[in-house]
Amino acid sequence: MKWDEFIITGDPLILGAQISILISAIGAVFVLTYFKKWKWLWDEWITSVDHKKLGIMYILIAILMFFRGGIDALMMRTQLAAPNMTFLDSLHYNEIFTTHGTIMIIFMAMPFLIGLMNVVIPLQIGARDVAFPFLNNLSFWTFVIGMGLFNISFIIGGSPSAGWTSYMPLASNELNPGPGQNYYLLGLQISGIGTLATGINMMVTIFKMRAKGMKLMMMPMFTWTTLITSMIIVLAFPVLTIALAEMTFDRLFGTHFFNLTNGGMPMLWANLFWIWGHPEVYIVALPAFGIFSEIITTFSKKRLFGYNAMVYSIVAISVLSFLVWVHHFFTMGSGAVVNSFFSITTMAISIPTGVKIFNWLLTMHKGRITFSTPMLWSVAFIPNFVIGGVTGVMLAMAAADYQYHNTYFLVSHFHYVLIAATVFACFAGFIYWYPKMFGYKLNERIGKWFFWIFVAGFNICFFPQYFLGLDGMPRRIHIYGVEDGWFALNFISTVGAFIMGLAFIILVYNIYYSFRYSPRETTGDAWGGRTLEWATSSAIPPHYNFAKVPEVTAMDPYWDMKEKGIDPNKIDKYEKIHMPSNTAVPFVMGCFMFLAGFGLVFEWFWMGIVGAIGIFACMAYRSFDYNDGYYVSVEEIEETEKRAREAK
Amino acid sequence: MAHAQDAEYANEPLEFQSAEGRNNILGFWIFIGAEFALFSTLFATYFVLVNRTAGGITADHLFDLPLVLIMTFLLLTSSFTCGLAIHAMRAGKVKQLITWMAITLVLGLGFVGFEIYEFWHYAHEGATLSTSAFWSAFFVLLGTHGLHVSIGIGWIILLLIQVKRRGLTPRTTSKVFIASLYWHFLDVIWIFIFTGVYLMGLGGL
């Protein structure tokens, strides 16, 4: 292989990215060395098994990916802003819409939500940590390695360009030579392992580690949605694992699963992909619903309306999510009966979802509502999500779908659903639990600017796309002519995209501003919360979470305690607490995974084998590791708790 | 990890007596659920592609019932001896546990050996990964199962060393118990392979 096939050259945009990556890497190394922070980084973060720190790192990387995916989006919108633009060529455009979709779903939405789950779930159920702290660290590193592998594709070797769905035979060696598609396969595969592990971890945590007295039907809604989401992960991700493995075999070892020759079946890929892919939509939507439920109850100062109906509806959604995948290819000749079946199941999902919408509205009804920024996002979610949902039902009619299929109508629909649910929830949850994570609130005034500008930009960007779709503009095109008549709406849409970009800058500024100027928290209970995570002190609660695990006697336990005048932090006598030790094994294992993945991407099998041996060696090492954790002494607990109280 | 409710489990088998052991076992059951989804997908792929031999060599040409019966016999017996090993573990007999597990491993190795021979033989007759979609699906399904068995062998060897060094503790017993669940699971999958792939293949599905 020649050097210039390995490193991408000749494109000024990519050159710019390469230079800026180099500069920031050098800058980071310099800062860490200058302030002597390497040991701190290693001890406090990289090897940490603390669920809150892992959660914060997940969120940090998700925001970074939001930036990367957002830049991709702005480049696409720039190319489409006017007829006959020459900003991007067709291949570059294909690569960008592929990485935009993949990154936003796999490396932004999921890790953002998993990060919030990690921070919140053990606190919310009154647990000291997750069930498997070691595995939690390993999950994080597999995610980072998968993310890293996918992201370096555009500077080393070339990006995948077959769309985030990677339909065969478009993604085959013949039509998609080079390492790009291999990056997609290996990056998703490696991070998928971590996601599966997180799913198992969360399920066991929620089943086994709830505080005394918390029955299943007393769990906070975010815990419920996390539980159901984890079940979907455990059942859906293995399908992706196999689909990716089979395509990897097709590309690297000459099998014929999805080829057009020797009996292969391209439609099999579409089926497998969407059997995972549609539940994936709910993997990112259900936790969002949980977050909104928490926020709406807190800021309405009311119990959640129709708690039981909420629980049953998420269960119903999770079952239905596995029965709708064919609606992604109504037009690919499945026949009338099959299409009708999947049309009906798809529309059926709107029933439990509608139940939830009404429950949120009725929770607010007659509540004492405060419109803080998290609440604004939650309230804005409802109408925007309904627009997305209603157009979804339009698409679910198989006969009508033949008309809008593969147009911007669809693009607009899923952006309305995913942004209004998942992205709004990420922002809402981020702002809501920010004081829990860092000990101070994000500035409300700047937060409101961020909110209004983002929501305006979002609607300006995507609403016109419905009409572009009805006008017949196909998705995934990189150029159109004046005679098509799509200029005005496209231009408006692009303006909206840049407004969203501006809003992102405001968010980043808000983080900086609040770090400098926000008043520090005095209590752990920043918003008058109802659930147990607010019963501990803030600025990352101590690594053991609760000095004494509270007992739960009612729904919304912390609210209940406050009403009864019980202070959960008034403890006469502390007892020593058992905690797990930090570990470097997952990080080392992640490095070997990177080696193995990178080797397979370029079909350097020796490197793949070295990586695999390293991975197994780490597993064997871990098997012999009988480190039993350590005890936090009573003195240390006293000291920590005293410091937390003195902060008042 | 000492837990308040651990006292309630004092009469349970050793592997359930610590909270960590109980969590690990539940977590592993969930993992087996994921493994079922994984193998279901492989089976689905196999059955979709089962007749797509593209005019190449077919299954009933190559499948050899006596060979497969030997493999089945080896693996099913290994599951039985694995059960005996756990029985010995519950009775607190380390030596018996190690003996039965060792027999389990030998049987498992025999199974893997026959499978390697089978694959080698098929390749010799002109059926490889890249022969046709059918053979791709066949080798990946069988290979995934065989890989699982091989990993299980390596895993159990590591655990036996630990049992020998540390004796039966809540920690070691829960590890061995989990490995045994895994081993039985592979047996269950093999029964599906035996009927779905070999018997139906020979019957000219």
Side-chain angles (χ1 to χ4, degrees):
Chain A
M1 179 178 269
K2 287 195 213 81
W3 182 242
D4 63 339
E5 285 171 19
F6 186 68
I7 299 279
I8 300 292
T9 53
D11 186 309
L13 288 168
I14 293 177
L15 185 67
Q18 283 163 333
I19 292 170
S20 57
I21 288 169
L22 200 66
I23 291 172
S24 6
I26 293 170
V29 170
F30 175 78
V31 168
L32 283 167
T33 313
Y34 185 81
F35 291 103
K36 296 190 176 68
K37 287 288 186 192
W38 284 104
K39 193 175 153 31
W40 165 82
L41 187 70
W42 178 261
D43 289 343
E44 296 285 318
W45 295 91
I46 291 174
T47 62
S48 173
V49 291
D50 185 345
H51 66 96
K52 297 165 296 268
K53 287 185 176 166
L54 288 168
I56 288 170
M57 288 194 284
Y58 264 113
I59 292 170
L60 186 72
I61 292 185
I63 291 177
L64 203 66
M65 286 299 103
F66 192 58
F67 175 72
R68 155 94 211 257
I71 295 286
D72 284 347
L74 292 185
M75 285 164 76
M76 275 191 278
R77 279 320 314 171
T78 307
Q79 169 63 26
L80 292 175
N84 301 317
M85 285 282 276
T86 51
F87 179 60
L88 299 172
D89 61 38
S90 59
L91 177 66
H92 201 169
Y93 188 84
N94 289 350
E95 293 178 345
I96 284 176
F97 77 63
T98 302
T99 52
H100 169 74
T102 314
I103 284 176
M104 284 303 198
I105 293 282
I106 307 277
F107 301 120
M108 193 293 280
M110 264 206 307
F112 209 126
L113 293 167
I114 287 176
L116 289 173
M117 288 176 193
N118 253 307
V119 172
V120 176
I121 293 298
L123 289 168
Q124 213 168 43
I125 61 174
R128 288 261 149 77
D129 202 331
V130 293
F132 311 118
F134 174 92
L135 191 65
N136 206 14
N137 186 300
L138 180 63
S139 301
F140 173 72
W141 283 111
T142 50
F143 152 66
V144 173
I145 295 308
M147 180 279 299
L149 200 58
F150 186 86
N151 269 281
I152 57 167
S153 64
F154 87 111
I155 47 172
I156 301 175
S159 292
S161 60
W164 90 284
T165 53
S166 287
Y167 286 141
M168 284 294 250
L170 184 59
S172 66
N173 275 333
E174 291 73 32
L175 297 178
N176 219 317
Q181 187 59 25
N182 297 349
Y183 270 118
Y184 170 94
L185 295 167
L186 272 306
L188 262 62
Q189 187 72 283
I190 293 174
S191 70
I193 297 167
T195 311
L196 178 67
T198 301
I200 296 173
N201 211 339
M202 286 293 162
M203 277 177 77
V204 178
T205 307
I206 295 171
F207 277 133
K208 288 277 197 179
M209 300 181 68
R210 276 169 287 138
K212 206 174 162 208
M214 186 182 277
K215 299 193 186 92
L216 278 178
M217 286 311 261
M218 283 159 75
M219 293 195 310
M221 199 43 70
F222 186 47
T223 307
W224 255 115
T225 52
T226 301
L227 178 65
I228 300 294
T229 304
S230 304
M231 289 181 182
I232 302 180
I233 287 176
V234 168
L235 289 177
F237 264 78
V239 183
L240 178 71
T241 304
I242 292 299
L244 291 172
E246 288 177 346
M247 195 193 277
T248 312
F249 270 68
D250 270 7
R251 288 182 61 90
L252 301 188
F253 305 113
T255 56
H256 301 284
F257 288 103
F258 312 123
N259 286 351
L260 286 171
T261 53
N262 287 38
M265 210 178 173
M267 268 318 285
L268 181 62
W269 167 264
N271 275 290
L272 292 180
F273 183 86
W274 285 113
I275 288 173
W276 161 78
H278 201 87
E280 167 70 15
V281 172
Y282 292 93
I283 292 172
V284 295
L286 287 182
F289 295 164
I291 292 169
F292 291 130
S293 301
E294 299 295 329
I295 291 172
I296 288 174
T297 45
T298 301
F299 291 102
S300 303
K301 297 233 179 307
K302 267 182 71 189
R303 268 177 71 151
L304 188 65
F305 182 89
Y307 176 88
N308 290 5
M310 281 299 219
V311 173
Y312 298 138
S313 66
I314 49 176
V315 174
I317 290 173
S318 72
V319 174
L320 286 169
S321 73
F322 281 94
L323 300 176
V324 301
W325 80 90
V326 172
H327 74 215
H328 292 271
F329 36 88
F330 276 151
T331 61
M332 295 197 208
S334 314
V337 176
V338 173
N339 275 0
S340 304
F341 174 82
F342 285 95
S343 183
I344 291 166
T345 49
T346 302
M347 287 187 231
I349 285 201
S350 61
I351 298 167
T353 317
V355 168
K356 300 178 83 66
I357 300 275
F358 284 110
N359 281 341
W360 286 313
L361 291 175
L362 287 165
T363 305
M364 285 189 266
H365 177 65
K366 289 193 178 167
R368 278 175 290 139
I369 300 177
T370 358
F371 284 103
S372 310
T373 40
M375 186 64 174
L376 284 176
W377 286 106
S378 312
V379 173
F381 148 73
I382 292 173
N384 286 301
F385 183 75
V386 166
I387 293 174
V390 168
T391 49
V393 177
M394 287 167 74
L395 286 159
M397 291 183 268
D401 184 62
Y402 274 80
Q403 190 62 30
Y404 341 106
H405 176 80
N406 256 357
T407 67
Y408 264 76
F409 190 86
L410 170 73
V411 175
S412 186
H413 154 69
F414 69 68
H415 280 95
Y416 258 92
V417 176
L418 283 170
I419 294 182
T422 308
V423 177
F424 283 19
C426 289
F427 292 148
F430 181 64
I431 300 166
Y432 180 60
W433 283 302
Y434 200 87
K436 194 63 351 197
M437 293 188 265
F438 299 107
Y440 55 91
K441 283 183 192 173
L442 285 175
N443 183 284
E444 285 279 292
R445 197 169 45 84
I446 306 175
K448 278 174 186 163
W449 277 100
F450 166 50
F451 167 78
W452 286 110
I453 292 175
F454 190 94
V455 173
F458 162 64
N459 278 290
I460 294 169
C461 180
F462 291 106
F463 206 73
Q465 292 184 6
Y466 281 123
F467 297 98
L468 280 172
L470 296 174
D471 275 353
M473 179 166 158
R475 68 199 280 210
R476 296 176 180 139
I477 57 162
H478 84 293
I479 203 156
Y480 56 89
V482 185
E483 67 284 0
D484 291 317
W486 299 325
F487 168 57
L489 289 171
N490 264 310
F491 188 78
I492 296 169
S493 181
T494 301
V495 170
F498 276 90
I499 295 175
M500 276 195 277
L502 172 73
F504 180 76
I505 295 171
I506 298 176
L507 170 68
V508 174
Y509 175 70
N510 195 1
I511 293 171
Y512 165 77
Y513 179 90
S514 308
F515 170 70
R516 292 288 300 273
Y517 303 112
S518 258
R520 304 294 113 157
E521 272 272 344
T522 51
T523 67
D525 185 14
W527 310 100
R530 307 174 72 83
T531 40
L532 282 180
E533 74 265 31
W534 305 107
T536 62
S537 50
S538 277
I540 309 188
H543 52 279
Y544 50 78
N545 287 357
F546 299 92
K548 182 166 178 277
V549 173
E551 270 191 38
V552 177
T553 53
M555 194 103 85
D556 292 345
Y558 188 47
W559 188 258
D560 181 59
M561 286 176 204
K562 284 192 276 192
E563 281 195 326
K564 289 180 183 153
I566 305 167
D567 180 1
N569 289 312
K570 242 182 115 201
I571 298 156
D572 304 328
K573 196 167 149 285
Y574 293 110
E575 278 170 29
K576 62 181 181 172
I577 294 170
H578 186 264
M579 292 305 290
S581 312
N582 284 4
T583 170
V585 180
F587 180 74
V588 177
M589 211 163 144
C591 295
F592 281 116
M593 283 182 191
F594 188 84
L595 202 65
F598 195 73
L600 287 181
V601 164
F602 286 95
E603 304 185 34
W604 300 336
F605 295 115
W606 62 270
M607 195 192 255
I609 291 167
V610 171
I613 292 172
I615 295 167
F616 280 112
C618 286
M619 286 161 82
Y621 177 85
R622 163 68 182 165
S623 178
F624 280 89
D625 178 12
Y626 274 71
N627 183 331
D628 230 348
Y630 63 97
Y631 279 94
V632 187
S633 66
V634 174
E635 294 80 58
E636 195 191 329
I637 301 169
E638 269 170 1
E639 168 104 8
T640 315
E641 293 293 314
K642 209 173 115 212
R643 221 172 332 125
R645 305 290 153 253
E646 269 170 9
K648 290 176 185 177
Chain B
M1 211 185 273
H3 267 243
Q5 81 246 39
D6 283 355
E8 296 168 23
Y9 291 84
N11 292 325
E12 297 277 319
L14 209 49
E15 64 265 26
F16 289 99
Q17 284 187 8
S18 70
E20 199 196 355
R22 291 195 295 280
N23 284 352
N24 287 347
I25 290 166
L26 175 65
F28 198 77
W29 274 112
I30 297 171
F31 175 71
I32 286 182
E35 288 274 87
F36 262 109
L38 188 104
F39 277 102
S40 304
T41 312
L42 285 170
F43 277 110
T45 312
Y46 178 80
F47 286 119
V48 166
L49 300 176
V50 72
N51 285 323
R52 301 175 80 96
T53 50
I57 193 161
T58 54
D60 46 348
H61 247 90
L62 288 184
F63 283 177
D64 178 14
L65 195 60
L67 178 76
V68 182
L69 278 174
I70 295 172
M71 288 166 73
T72 308
F73 177 75
L74 288 174
L75 202 64
L76 292 195
T77 314
S78 82
S79 216
F80 179 65
T81 55
C82 181
L84 292 177
I86 299 300
H87 187 71
M89 184 177 86
R90 295 262 166 89
K93 293 174 181 158
V94 179
K95 224 179 201 159
Q96 272 193 27
L97 162 68
I98 294 179
T99 314
W100 283 121
M101 270 303 187
I103 295 171
T104 307
L105 293 183
V106 172
L107 292 168
L109 271 175
F111 171 85
V112 173
F114 273 109
E115 185 153 76
I116 292 171
Y117 165 75
E118 188 197 6
F119 283 10
W120 175 83
H121 173 68
Y122 289 173
H124 215 70
E125 298 283 325
T128 61
L129 269 177
S130 52
T131 304
S132 65
F134 165 73
W135 287 107
S136 301
F138 172 84
F139 281 113
V140 170
L141 170 60
L142 272 284
T144 308
H145 179 265
L147 181 70
H148 273 72
V149 176
S150 312
I151 290 174
I153 292 171
W155 179 15
I156 292 176
I157 290 174
L158 296 181
L159 294 187
L160 290 183
I161 297 170
Q162 292 167 34
V163 171
K164 188 131 181 94
R165 276 194 199 160
R166 293 167 184 273
L168 298 178
T169 66
R171 201 80 182 270
T172 53
T173 50
S174 74
K175 285 184 172 197
V176 174
F177 181 68
I178 285 169
S180 82
L181 289 179
Y182 179 76
W183 197 262
H184 295 311
F185 163 75
L186 294 179
D187 217 345
V188 173
I189 294 298
W190 179 258
I191 290 169
F192 283 104
I193 291 179
F194 178 66
T195 41
V197 175
Y198 287 108
L199 292 186
M200 287 170 87
L202 284 166
L205 175 82

